[in-house]
Amino acid sequence: MASPRKRGRPTLFVIGGAEDRVGKATVLRRFVRLAGGRRARIVLVPTASSFPDEVTASYTDVFTRLGAPAPSVVDPQDRAEAHDEELVALVDAATGVFMSGGSQLKLSQRFPGTPLGDAIHRAHARGAVVGGTSAGASIMSQFMISMGDEGITPRQRHSQLSAGLGLVEGVIIDQHFAQRSRYGRLMSMVAASPSLLGIGIDEDTAVELVDGRTFTVHGSGAVFVLDCRTAQSDAPDARRGAPLMVSGAVVHSLPAGATFDLAEVKLVEFVEKHPDAAVALATAKA
């Protein structure tokens, strides 16, 4: 009798958008490896994009270049099609699911609470890696920022939360974080709901989250964790559009090589991945 396939640990691979697809593709290379490399069965979900054919061609090119077979495509056009048994079967057979960028509202309309959304939950539970970039990153949390103003200053009621897939609880994920100046909108959301942690992910940067608890950072940017559990805020009283008072928030800035525990809300380990150029040159010559 053949032995059962070894179950992997539930893993999310959450990318802040604009990841490198033409060079070393460090972030996507890691996703392909987690999905099984040459034996991967990747399902690509281009639903968030306004140009799904172009997105499909782009990711098919990079995934195959990195050694994986061509992905299957799951792209429901409406909530009714998210009940399609053939599409559900593709997700149930996948070793990796990858959701592209675009509009997270398209994803929230078609996946949470549907058979396809349930299939993504099953894939995650059995150890298939579930990845997403930009909008595909935001949809992974229980609550996601579906729209909001950008800028450094947090302001009252300038952002909106919508339901996500709930693959990870207790956090709000935001993407394109530094590049689109989204610190303010994420801080405003977390200040108003201090039981939640905010996770802001830069472009070409990813969080590899295992068991819903511990994550490691990959890529060229950084990940910010915003913690307002002991902060003071005037969120209950501030008028619409007013700058929020937030005092005592804790901010963690985590580049590649950092490992962070979401349950304990603390750094576990840091291995320098971006050494000073002179140090790197000296090490190479040694």
Side-chain angles (χ1 to χ4, degrees):
M1 179 184 296
S3 59
R5 188 174 69 87
K6 183 179 179 181
R7 284 175 60 95
R9 299 171 68 184
T11 301
L12 298 179
F13 199 74
V14 193
I15 307 171
E19 70 282 356
D20 174 28
R21 302 182 209 171
V22 298
K24 292 183 178 180
T26 302
V27 169
L28 291 177
R29 189 179 300 275
R30 178 62 180 170
F31 171 79
V32 168
R33 181 178 178 184
L34 291 170
R38 296 185 182 279
R39 294 178 293 179
R41 296 187 301 276
I42 296 173
V43 164
L44 175 64
V45 180
T47 305
S49 176
S50 299
F51 307 97
D53 292 342
E54 290 84 345
V55 165
T56 297
S58 176
Y59 281 105
T60 297
D61 179 70
V62 68
F63 288 154
T64 55
R65 179 167 63 85
L66 295 174
S72 302
V73 178
V74 168
D75 185 21
Q77 297 305 297
D78 51 35
R79 198 165 176 85
E81 197 170 335
H83 290 69
D84 187 295
E85 293 182 357
E86 292 184 3
L87 297 182
V88 169
L90 287 174
V91 177
D92 280 334
T95 61
V97 177
F98 191 88
M99 295 175 283
S100 78
S103 168
Q104 49 258 50
L105 279 175
K106 287 184 180 180
L107 293 173
S108 67
Q109 287 289 309
R110 300 175 198 180
F111 285 88
T114 68
L116 270 179
D118 294 342
I120 292 175
H121 273 269
R122 289 194 297 273
H124 178 239
R126 71 170 182 268
V129 57
V130 177
T133 183
S134 190
S138 291
I139 192 69
M140 293 192 193
S141 54
Q142 184 178 7
F143 304 103
M144 68 176 190
I145 300 177
S146 54
M147 60 184 67
D149 292 344
E150 298 170 350
I152 297 297
T153 302
R155 293 184 178 273
Q156 178 72 314
R157 300 179 187 175
H158 268 214
S159 301
Q160 175 179 306
L161 287 180
S162 299
L165 277 169
L167 294 167
V168 55
E169 297 182 352
V171 304
I172 302 171
I173 297 171
D174 209 350
Q175 16 75 19
H176 301 284
F177 196 64
Q179 290 76 14
R180 299 189 185 177
S181 190
R182 288 180 167 172
Y183 183 91
R185 78 177 195 175
L186 185 58
M187 179 64 83
S188 69
M189 293 289 95
V190 178
S193 301
S195 65
L196 302 175
L197 296 174
I199 300 178
I201 309 175
D202 286 349
E203 294 179 354
D204 193 38
T205 306
V207 159
E208 181 180 330
L209 176 63
V210 178
D211 293 331
R213 173 165 180 158
T214 304
F215 72 73
T216 301
V217 180
H218 302 276
S220 61
V223 173
F224 290 78
V225 177
L226 307 183
D227 177 6
C228 287
R229 292 174 301 162
T230 60
Q232 299 180 54
S233 174
D234 68 342
D237 305 309
R239 71 182 188 280
R240 181 183 295 271
L244 282 177
M245 186 280 291
V246 184
S247 178
V250 178
V251 179
H252 306 262
S253 177
L254 308 168
T259 300
F260 193 84
D261 188 321
L262 286 174
E264 297 292 333
V265 196
K266 69 178 185 180
L267 182 70
V268 175
E269 182 183 25
F270 178 62
V271 178
E272 178 62 67
K273 298 292 185 180
H274 301 128
D276 180 90
V279 174
L281 182 60
T283 302
K285 290 181 177 179

mmCIF file of all heavy atoms in Angstrom, residues 115-167:
data_model
loop_
_atom_site.group_PDB
_atom_site.id
_atom_site.type_symbol
_atom_site.label_atom_id
_atom_site.label_comp_id
_atom_site.label_asym_id
_atom_site.label_seq_id
_atom_site.Cartn_x
_atom_site.Cartn_y
_atom_site.Cartn_z
ATOM 1 N N PRO A 115 -18.257 28.161 -2.894
ATOM 2 C CA PRO A 115 -17.493 26.913 -2.969
ATOM 3 C C PRO A 115 -16.033 27.109 -3.368
ATOM 4 O O PRO A 115 -15.153 26.382 -2.885
ATOM 5 C CB PRO A 115 -18.260 26.102 -4.017
ATOM 6 C CG PRO A 115 -19.672 26.557 -3.858
ATOM 7 C CD PRO A 115 -19.559 28.030 -3.590
ATOM 8 N N LEU A 116 -15.741 28.072 -4.248
ATOM 9 C CA LEU A 116 -14.336 28.315 -4.592
ATOM 10 C C LEU A 116 -13.569 28.869 -3.399
ATOM 11 O O LEU A 116 -12.414 28.496 -3.171
ATOM 12 C CB LEU A 116 -14.237 29.291 -5.777
ATOM 13 C CG LEU A 116 -14.216 28.676 -7.169
ATOM 14 C CD1 LEU A 116 -14.138 29.762 -8.226
ATOM 15 C CD2 LEU A 116 -13.060 27.697 -7.323
ATOM 16 N N GLY A 117 -14.191 29.765 -2.650
ATOM 17 C CA GLY A 117 -13.544 30.255 -1.432
ATOM 18 C C GLY A 117 -13.312 29.134 -0.440
ATOM 19 O O GLY A 117 -12.239 29.051 0.182
ATOM 20 N N ASP A 118 -14.295 28.240 -0.308
ATOM 21 C CA ASP A 118 -14.128 27.089 0.592
ATOM 22 C C ASP A 118 -12.995 26.185 0.119
ATOM 23 O O ASP A 118 -12.243 25.630 0.935
ATOM 24 C CB ASP A 118 -15.428 26.287 0.659
ATOM 25 C CG ASP A 118 -16.567 27.057 1.317
ATOM 26 O OD1 ASP A 118 -16.286 28.053 2.025
ATOM 27 O OD2 ASP A 118 -17.735 26.671 1.111
ATOM 28 N N ALA A 119 -12.858 26.029 -1.207
ATOM 29 C CA ALA A 119 -11.785 25.185 -1.751
ATOM 30 C C ALA A 119 -10.415 25.786 -1.449
ATOM 31 O O ALA A 119 -9.454 25.049 -1.171
ATOM 32 C CB ALA A 119 -11.961 25.014 -3.262
ATOM 33 N N ILE A 120 -10.305 27.114 -1.488
ATOM 34 C CA ILE A 120 -9.034 27.752 -1.131
ATOM 35 C C ILE A 120 -8.725 27.504 0.349
ATOM 36 O O ILE A 120 -7.569 27.239 0.716
ATOM 37 C CB ILE A 120 -9.079 29.257 -1.456
ATOM 38 C CG1 ILE A 120 -9.130 29.454 -2.971
ATOM 39 C CG2 ILE A 120 -7.859 29.969 -0.878
ATOM 40 C CD1 ILE A 120 -9.299 30.896 -3.408
ATOM 41 N N HIS A 121 -9.736 27.537 1.197
ATOM 42 C CA HIS A 121 -9.530 27.217 2.615
ATOM 43 C C HIS A 121 -9.051 25.775 2.774
ATOM 44 O O HIS A 121 -8.144 25.498 3.573
ATOM 45 C CB HIS A 121 -10.817 27.436 3.406
ATOM 46 C CG HIS A 121 -10.989 28.830 3.908
ATOM 47 N ND1 HIS A 121 -10.528 29.233 5.158
ATOM 48 C CD2 HIS A 121 -11.546 29.921 3.346
ATOM 49 C CE1 HIS A 121 -10.812 30.507 5.333
ATOM 50 N NE2 HIS A 121 -11.423 30.958 4.259
ATOM 51 N N ARG A 122 -9.642 24.853 2.030
ATOM 52 C CA ARG A 122 -9.210 23.456 2.118
ATOM 53 C C ARG A 122 -7.778 23.299 1.643
ATOM 54 O O ARG A 122 -6.990 22.539 2.238
ATOM 55 C CB ARG A 122 -10.144 22.558 1.294
ATOM 56 C CG ARG A 122 -11.522 22.380 1.868
ATOM 57 C CD ARG A 122 -12.260 21.221 1.204
ATOM 58 N NE ARG A 122 -12.495 21.434 -0.224
ATOM 59 C CZ ARG A 122 -13.546 22.072 -0.734
ATOM 60 N NH1 ARG A 122 -14.471 22.585 0.070
ATOM 61 N NH2 ARG A 122 -13.698 22.189 -2.041
ATOM 62 N N ALA A 123 -7.433 23.987 0.571
ATOM 63 C CA ALA A 123 -6.057 23.923 0.060
ATOM 64 C C ALA A 123 -5.068 24.400 1.120
ATOM 65 O O ALA A 123 -4.040 23.770 1.362
ATOM 66 C CB ALA A 123 -5.928 24.766 -1.204
ATOM 67 N N HIS A 124 -5.392 25.507 1.760
ATOM 68 C CA HIS A 124 -4.532 26.044 2.823
ATOM 69 C C HIS A 124 -4.413 25.062 3.976
ATOM 70 O O HIS A 124 -3.319 24.796 4.480
ATOM 71 C CB HIS A 124 -5.106 27.380 3.296
ATOM 72 C CG HIS A 124 -4.340 28.010 4.401
ATOM 73 N ND1 HIS A 124 -4.899 28.307 5.627
ATOM 74 C CD2 HIS A 124 -3.042 28.394 4.487
ATOM 75 C CE1 HIS A 124 -3.984 28.858 6.404
ATOM 76 N NE2 HIS A 124 -2.857 28.921 5.738
ATOM 77 N N ALA A 125 -5.544 24.480 4.392
ATOM 78 C CA ALA A 125 -5.544 23.574 5.542
ATOM 79 C C ALA A 125 -4.719 22.320 5.286
ATOM 80 O O ALA A 125 -4.084 21.790 6.209
ATOM 81 C CB ALA A 125 -6.978 23.190 5.906
ATOM 82 N N ARG A 126 -4.709 21.838 4.032
ATOM 83 C CA ARG A 126 -3.977 20.593 3.760
ATOM 84 C C ARG A 126 -2.500 20.831 3.462
ATOM 85 O O ARG A 126 -1.740 19.888 3.264
ATOM 86 C CB ARG A 126 -4.628 19.834 2.604
ATOM 87 C CG ARG A 126 -4.460 20.456 1.245
ATOM 88 C CD ARG A 126 -4.924 19.525 0.126
ATOM 89 N NE ARG A 126 -4.695 20.146 -1.165
ATOM 90 C CZ ARG A 126 -5.557 20.886 -1.824
ATOM 91 N NH1 ARG A 126 -6.744 21.114 -1.292
ATOM 92 N NH2 ARG A 126 -5.244 21.415 -2.999
ATOM 93 N N GLY A 127 -2.083 22.096 3.394
ATOM 94 C CA GLY A 127 -0.666 22.390 3.225
ATOM 95 C C GLY A 127 -0.256 22.895 1.867
ATOM 96 O O GLY A 127 0.931 23.115 1.626
ATOM 97 N N ALA A 128 -1.224 23.104 0.950
ATOM 98 C CA ALA A 128 -0.890 23.779 -0.303
ATOM 99 C C ALA A 128 -0.584 25.238 0.023
ATOM 100 O O ALA A 128 -1.235 25.845 0.867
ATOM 101 C CB ALA A 128 -2.058 23.681 -1.281
ATOM 102 N N VAL A 129 0.397 25.807 -0.641
ATOM 103 C CA VAL A 129 0.731 27.200 -0.383
ATOM 104 C C VAL A 129 -0.283 28.086 -1.106
ATOM 105 O O VAL A 129 -0.592 27.878 -2.270
ATOM 106 C CB VAL A 129 2.168 27.544 -0.820
ATOM 107 C CG1 VAL A 129 2.408 27.244 -2.292
ATOM 108 C CG2 VAL A 129 2.490 28.998 -0.523
ATOM 109 N N VAL A 130 -0.844 29.051 -0.385
ATOM 110 C CA VAL A 130 -1.766 30.010 -0.977
ATOM 111 C C VAL A 130 -1.047 31.348 -1.045
ATOM 112 O O VAL A 130 -0.673 31.920 -0.020
ATOM 113 C CB VAL A 130 -3.064 30.133 -0.168
ATOM 114 C CG1 VAL A 130 -3.975 31.197 -0.785
ATOM 115 C CG2 VAL A 130 -3.793 28.789 -0.115
ATOM 116 N N GLY A 131 -0.809 31.821 -2.276
ATOM 117 C CA GLY A 131 -0.081 33.064 -2.476
ATOM 118 C C GLY A 131 -0.955 34.112 -3.126
ATOM 119 O O GLY A 131 -1.967 33.813 -3.758
ATOM 120 N N GLY A 132 -0.552 35.353 -2.966
ATOM 121 C CA GLY A 132 -1.275 36.443 -3.603
ATOM 122 C C GLY A 132 -0.434 37.690 -3.593
ATOM 123 O O GLY A 132 0.411 37.883 -2.712
ATOM 124 N N THR A 133 -0.647 38.546 -4.590
ATOM 125 C CA THR A 133 0.094 39.791 -4.692
ATOM 126 C C THR A 133 -0.873 40.957 -4.798
ATOM 127 O O THR A 133 -1.923 40.841 -5.445
ATOM 128 C CB THR A 133 1.048 39.771 -5.905
ATOM 129 O OG1 THR A 133 1.814 40.980 -5.939
ATOM 130 C CG2 THR A 133 0.307 39.618 -7.215
ATOM 131 N N SER A 134 -0.556 42.072 -4.144
ATOM 132 C CA SER A 134 -1.391 43.271 -4.190
ATOM 133 C C SER A 134 -2.804 42.937 -3.720
ATOM 134 O O SER A 134 -3.005 42.570 -2.574
ATOM 135 C CB SER A 134 -1.357 43.865 -5.601
ATOM 136 O OG SER A 134 -1.948 45.132 -5.635
ATOM 137 N N ALA A 135 -3.831 43.049 -4.592
ATOM 138 C CA ALA A 135 -5.194 42.708 -4.186
ATOM 139 C C ALA A 135 -5.271 41.265 -3.683
ATOM 140 O O ALA A 135 -6.007 40.961 -2.736
ATOM 141 C CB ALA A 135 -6.151 42.896 -5.361
ATOM 142 N N GLY A 136 -4.508 40.379 -4.311
ATOM 143 C CA GLY A 136 -4.471 38.987 -3.875
ATOM 144 C C GLY A 136 -3.848 38.790 -2.516
ATOM 145 O O GLY A 136 -4.020 37.746 -1.884
ATOM 146 N N ALA A 137 -3.105 39.801 -2.042
ATOM 147 C CA ALA A 137 -2.574 39.780 -0.679
ATOM 148 C C ALA A 137 -3.633 40.259 0.307
ATOM 149 O O ALA A 137 -3.867 39.640 1.349
ATOM 150 C CB ALA A 137 -1.328 40.661 -0.588
ATOM 151 N N SER A 138 -4.302 41.359 -0.017
ATOM 152 C CA SER A 138 -5.287 41.943 0.898
ATOM 153 C C SER A 138 -6.423 40.986 1.216
ATOM 154 O O SER A 138 -6.923 40.946 2.342
ATOM 155 C CB SER A 138 -5.864 43.227 0.300
ATOM 156 O OG SER A 138 -4.907 44.250 0.264
ATOM 157 N N ILE A 139 -6.856 40.191 0.225
ATOM 158 C CA ILE A 139 -8.017 39.328 0.405
ATOM 159 C C ILE A 139 -7.775 38.212 1.411
ATOM 160 O O ILE A 139 -8.712 37.595 1.909
ATOM 161 C CB ILE A 139 -8.441 38.723 -0.969
ATOM 162 C CG1 ILE A 139 -9.823 38.059 -0.903
ATOM 163 C CG2 ILE A 139 -7.406 37.718 -1.450
ATOM 164 C CD1 ILE A 139 -10.963 39.005 -0.714
ATOM 165 N N MET A 140 -6.525 37.947 1.772
ATOM 166 C CA MET A 140 -6.227 36.804 2.639
ATOM 167 C C MET A 140 -6.685 36.997 4.079
ATOM 168 O O MET A 140 -6.981 36.031 4.777
ATOM 169 C CB MET A 140 -4.737 36.493 2.605
ATOM 170 C CG MET A 140 -4.273 35.976 1.257
ATOM 171 S SD MET A 140 -2.617 35.295 1.382
ATOM 172 C CE MET A 140 -2.203 35.155 -0.345
ATOM 173 N N SER A 141 -6.749 38.237 4.543
ATOM 174 C CA SER A 141 -7.128 38.462 5.940
ATOM 175 C C SER A 141 -8.645 38.446 6.091
ATOM 176 O O SER A 141 -9.402 38.502 5.115
ATOM 177 C CB SER A 141 -6.545 39.780 6.447
ATOM 178 O OG SER A 141 -6.913 40.851 5.612
ATOM 179 N N GLN A 142 -9.106 38.381 7.332
ATOM 180 C CA GLN A 142 -10.537 38.356 7.613
ATOM 181 C C GLN A 142 -11.198 39.683 7.228
ATOM 182 O O GLN A 142 -12.311 39.721 6.710
ATOM 183 C CB GLN A 142 -10.771 38.066 9.092
ATOM 184 C CG GLN A 142 -12.238 37.930 9.479
ATOM 185 C CD GLN A 142 -12.399 37.590 10.955
ATOM 186 O OE1 GLN A 142 -11.420 37.575 11.711
ATOM 187 N NE2 GLN A 142 -13.615 37.311 11.370
ATOM 188 N N PHE A 143 -10.488 40.764 7.494
ATOM 189 C CA PHE A 143 -10.940 42.093 7.102
ATOM 190 C C PHE A 143 -9.860 42.723 6.234
ATOM 191 O O PHE A 143 -8.683 42.618 6.542
ATOM 192 C CB PHE A 143 -11.185 42.973 8.335
ATOM 193 C CG PHE A 143 -12.145 42.378 9.317
ATOM 194 C CD1 PHE A 143 -11.691 41.799 10.492
ATOM 195 C CD2 PHE A 143 -13.510 42.387 9.071
ATOM 196 C CE1 PHE A 143 -12.565 41.242 11.400
ATOM 197 C CE2 PHE A 143 -14.398 41.830 9.971
ATOM 198 C CZ PHE A 143 -13.928 41.256 11.146
ATOM 199 N N MET A 144 -10.265 43.377 5.154
ATOM 200 C CA MET A 144 -9.289 43.974 4.256
ATOM 201 C C MET A 144 -9.674 45.417 3.962
ATOM 202 O O MET A 144 -10.853 45.793 4.021
ATOM 203 C CB MET A 144 -9.191 43.186 2.949
ATOM 204 C CG MET A 144 -10.425 43.275 2.095
ATOM 205 S SD MET A 144 -10.212 42.429 0.517
ATOM 206 C CE MET A 144 -11.694 42.985 -0.339
ATOM 207 N N ILE A 145 -8.669 46.236 3.644
ATOM 208 C CA ILE A 145 -8.925 47.610 3.233
ATOM 209 C C ILE A 145 -9.334 47.573 1.762
ATOM 210 O O ILE A 145 -8.536 47.236 0.894
ATOM 211 C CB ILE A 145 -7.684 48.496 3.428
ATOM 212 C CG1 ILE A 145 -7.273 48.506 4.904
ATOM 213 C CG2 ILE A 145 -7.973 49.918 2.954
ATOM 214 C CD1 ILE A 145 -6.005 49.290 5.183
ATOM 215 N N SER A 146 -10.595 47.902 1.491
ATOM 216 C CA SER A 146 -11.095 47.830 0.119
ATOM 217 C C SER A 146 -10.936 49.150 -0.615
ATOM 218 O O SER A 146 -10.940 49.189 -1.843
ATOM 219 C CB SER A 146 -12.566 47.408 0.105
ATOM 220 O OG SER A 146 -13.346 48.255 0.933
ATOM 221 N N MET A 147 -10.803 50.246 0.127
ATOM 222 C CA MET A 147 -10.546 51.545 -0.480
ATOM 223 C C MET A 147 -10.096 52.496 0.620
ATOM 224 O O MET A 147 -10.340 52.265 1.800
ATOM 225 C CB MET A 147 -11.789 52.094 -1.188
ATOM 226 C CG MET A 147 -12.991 52.299 -0.299
ATOM 227 S SD MET A 147 -14.452 52.846 -1.223
ATOM 228 C CE MET A 147 -14.793 51.401 -2.221
ATOM 229 N N GLY A 148 -9.398 53.560 0.227
ATOM 230 C CA GLY A 148 -8.952 54.517 1.221
ATOM 231 C C GLY A 148 -7.924 55.479 0.669
ATOM 232 O O GLY A 148 -7.228 55.170 -0.300
ATOM 233 N N ASP A 149 -7.848 56.648 1.279
ATOM 234 C CA ASP A 149 -6.877 57.654 0.877
ATOM 235 C C ASP A 149 -5.472 57.235 1.271
ATOM 236 O O ASP A 149 -5.286 56.464 2.222
ATOM 237 C CB ASP A 149 -7.206 59.009 1.521
ATOM 238 C CG ASP A 149 -8.487 59.602 0.962
ATOM 239 O OD1 ASP A 149 -8.938 59.132 -0.096
ATOM 240 O OD2 ASP A 149 -9.036 60.529 1.596
ATOM 241 N N GLU A 150 -4.498 57.762 0.559
ATOM 242 C CA GLU A 150 -3.108 57.464 0.855
ATOM 243 C C GLU A 150 -2.455 58.664 1.518
ATOM 244 O O GLU A 150 -2.992 59.770 1.499
ATOM 245 C CB GLU A 150 -2.392 57.055 -0.434
ATOM 246 C CG GLU A 150 -3.001 55.783 -1.030
ATOM 247 C CD GLU A 150 -2.504 55.448 -2.412
ATOM 248 O OE1 GLU A 150 -1.815 56.294 -3.015
ATOM 249 O OE2 GLU A 150 -2.802 54.348 -2.893
ATOM 250 N N GLY A 151 -1.302 58.440 2.145
ATOM 251 C CA GLY A 151 -0.600 59.507 2.838
ATOM 252 C C GLY A 151 -0.075 59.034 4.174
ATOM 253 O O GLY A 151 -0.432 57.956 4.670
ATOM 254 N N ILE A 152 0.789 59.828 4.766
ATOM 255 C CA ILE A 152 1.435 59.460 6.020
ATOM 256 C C ILE A 152 0.503 59.632 7.217
ATOM 257 O O ILE A 152 0.512 58.843 8.156
ATOM 258 C CB ILE A 152 2.708 60.311 6.240
ATOM 259 C CG1 ILE A 152 3.727 60.034 5.121
ATOM 260 C CG2 ILE A 152 3.329 60.023 7.609
ATOM 261 C CD1 ILE A 152 4.219 58.619 5.081
ATOM 262 N N THR A 153 -0.329 60.654 7.207
ATOM 263 C CA THR A 153 -1.153 61.000 8.369
ATOM 264 C C THR A 153 -2.417 60.148 8.426
ATOM 265 O O THR A 153 -3.193 60.121 7.458
ATOM 266 C CB THR A 153 -1.564 62.477 8.322
ATOM 267 O OG1 THR A 153 -0.395 63.280 8.268
ATOM 268 C CG2 THR A 153 -2.378 62.859 9.556
ATOM 269 N N PRO A 154 -2.669 59.445 9.530
ATOM 270 C CA PRO A 154 -3.938 58.723 9.662
ATOM 271 C C PRO A 154 -5.097 59.703 9.845
ATOM 272 O O PRO A 154 -4.989 60.665 10.609
ATOM 273 C CB PRO A 154 -3.729 57.864 10.920
ATOM 274 C CG PRO A 154 -2.668 58.552 11.693
ATOM 275 C CD PRO A 154 -1.786 59.249 10.694
ATOM 276 N N ARG A 155 -6.187 59.456 9.123
ATOM 277 C CA ARG A 155 -7.340 60.343 9.200
ATOM 278 C C ARG A 155 -8.615 59.537 9.450
ATOM 279 O O ARG A 155 -8.730 58.387 9.041
ATOM 280 C CB ARG A 155 -7.488 61.165 7.907
ATOM 281 C CG ARG A 155 -6.349 62.160 7.715
ATOM 282 C CD ARG A 155 -6.541 63.041 6.495
ATOM 283 N NE ARG A 155 -5.449 64.009 6.387
ATOM 284 C CZ ARG A 155 -5.426 65.195 6.983
ATOM 285 N NH1 ARG A 155 -6.464 65.559 7.740
ATOM 286 N NH2 ARG A 155 -4.399 66.003 6.848
ATOM 287 N N GLN A 156 -9.539 60.169 10.106
ATOM 288 C CA GLN A 156 -10.780 59.510 10.506
ATOM 289 C C GLN A 156 -11.674 59.227 9.297
ATOM 290 O O GLN A 156 -11.951 60.106 8.477
ATOM 291 C CB GLN A 156 -11.521 60.407 11.505
ATOM 292 C CG GLN A 156 -12.870 59.888 11.978
ATOM 293 C CD GLN A 156 -12.740 58.703 12.928
ATOM 294 O OE1 GLN A 156 -11.979 57.770 12.672
ATOM 295 N NE2 GLN A 156 -13.458 58.736 14.024
ATOM 296 N N ARG A 157 -12.104 57.971 9.167
ATOM 297 C CA ARG A 157 -13.105 57.550 8.193
ATOM 298 C C ARG A 157 -12.729 57.861 6.750
ATOM 299 O O ARG A 157 -13.584 58.176 5.940
ATOM 300 C CB ARG A 157 -14.469 58.176 8.524
ATOM 301 C CG ARG A 157 -14.994 57.778 9.893
ATOM 302 C CD ARG A 157 -16.326 58.433 10.172
ATOM 303 N NE ARG A 157 -16.758 58.197 11.547
ATOM 304 C CZ ARG A 157 -17.846 58.745 12.097
ATOM 305 N NH1 ARG A 157 -18.605 59.558 11.396
ATOM 306 N NH2 ARG A 157 -18.171 58.487 13.350
ATOM 307 N N HIS A 158 -11.447 57.752 6.435
ATOM 308 C CA HIS A 158 -11.019 57.935 5.055
ATOM 309 C C HIS A 158 -10.757 56.597 4.376
ATOM 310 O O HIS A 158 -10.336 56.571 3.226
ATOM 311 C CB HIS A 158 -9.758 58.806 4.997
ATOM 312 C CG HIS A 158 -10.063 60.259 4.826
ATOM 313 N ND1 HIS A 158 -9.260 61.112 4.113
ATOM 314 C CD2 HIS A 158 -11.107 61.006 5.262
ATOM 315 C CE1 HIS A 158 -9.773 62.337 4.129
ATOM 316 N NE2 HIS A 158 -10.892 62.292 4.814
ATOM 317 N N SER A 159 -10.987 55.492 5.081
ATOM 318 C CA SER A 159 -10.760 54.164 4.523
ATOM 319 C C SER A 159 -11.957 53.276 4.840
ATOM 320 O O SER A 159 -12.761 53.579 5.730
ATOM 321 C CB SER A 159 -9.471 53.544 5.090
ATOM 322 O OG SER A 159 -8.359 54.355 4.796
ATOM 323 N N GLN A 160 -12.053 52.172 4.119
ATOM 324 C CA GLN A 160 -13.188 51.265 4.281
ATOM 325 C C GLN A 160 -12.701 49.826 4.380
ATOM 326 O O GLN A 160 -11.822 49.406 3.631
ATOM 327 C CB GLN A 160 -14.138 51.418 3.091
ATOM 328 C CG GLN A 160 -15.293 50.442 3.073
ATOM 329 C CD GLN A 160 -16.197 50.672 1.871
ATOM 330 O OE1 GLN A 160 -16.680 51.781 1.650
ATOM 331 N NE2 GLN A 160 -16.409 49.626 1.086
ATOM 332 N N LEU A 161 -13.294 49.071 5.289
ATOM 333 C CA LEU A 161 -12.988 47.652 5.421
ATOM 334 C C LEU A 161 -14.080 46.820 4.773
ATOM 335 O O LEU A 161 -15.261 47.177 4.819
ATOM 336 C CB LEU A 161 -12.880 47.256 6.903
ATOM 337 C CG LEU A 161 -11.650 47.717 7.684
ATOM 338 C CD1 LEU A 161 -11.740 47.229 9.124
ATOM 339 C CD2 LEU A 161 -10.365 47.215 7.048
ATOM 340 N N SER A 162 -13.684 45.708 4.142
ATOM 341 C CA SER A 162 -14.613 44.734 3.588
ATOM 342 C C SER A 162 -14.180 43.347 4.024
ATOM 343 O O SER A 162 -13.049 43.160 4.503
ATOM 344 C CB SER A 162 -14.646 44.818 2.056
ATOM 345 O OG SER A 162 -15.069 46.086 1.614
ATOM 346 N N ALA A 163 -15.056 42.379 3.856
ATOM 347 C CA ALA A 163 -14.738 41.013 4.250
ATOM 348 C C ALA A 163 -13.740 40.389 3.292
ATOM 349 O O ALA A 163 -13.864 40.513 2.069
ATOM 350 C CB ALA A 163 -16.005 40.170 4.294
ATOM 351 N N GLY A 164 -12.734 39.703 3.854
ATOM 352 C CA GLY A 164 -11.777 38.952 3.064
ATOM 353 C C GLY A 164 -12.035 37.459 3.195
ATOM 354 O O GLY A 164 -13.085 37.028 3.680
ATOM 355 N N LEU A 165 -11.057 36.663 2.791
ATOM 356 C CA LEU A 165 -11.197 35.216 2.870
ATOM 357 C C LEU A 165 -11.025 34.672 4.279
ATOM 358 O O LEU A 165 -11.478 33.575 4.575
ATOM 359 C CB LEU A 165 -10.183 34.543 1.934
ATOM 360 C CG LEU A 165 -10.588 34.432 0.465
ATOM 361 C CD1 LEU A 165 -9.398 34.005 -0.382
ATOM 362 C CD2 LEU A 165 -11.735 33.439 0.283
ATOM 363 N N GLY A 166 -10.333 35.418 5.137
ATOM 364 C CA GLY A 166 -10.157 34.943 6.505
ATOM 365 C C GLY A 166 -9.171 33.800 6.635
ATOM 366 O O GLY A 166 -9.281 32.976 7.550
ATOM 367 N N LEU A 167 -8.187 33.730 5.739
ATOM 368 C CA LEU A 167 -7.161 32.695 5.852
ATOM 369 C C LEU A 167 -6.224 32.974 7.020
ATOM 370 O O LEU A 167 -5.559 32.070 7.520
ATOM 371 C CB LEU A 167 -6.365 32.607 4.545
ATOM 372 C CG LEU A 167 -7.167 32.132 3.330
ATOM 373 C CD1 LEU A 167 -6.390 32.370 2.049
ATOM 374 C CD2 LEU A 167 -7.536 30.655 3.465
#
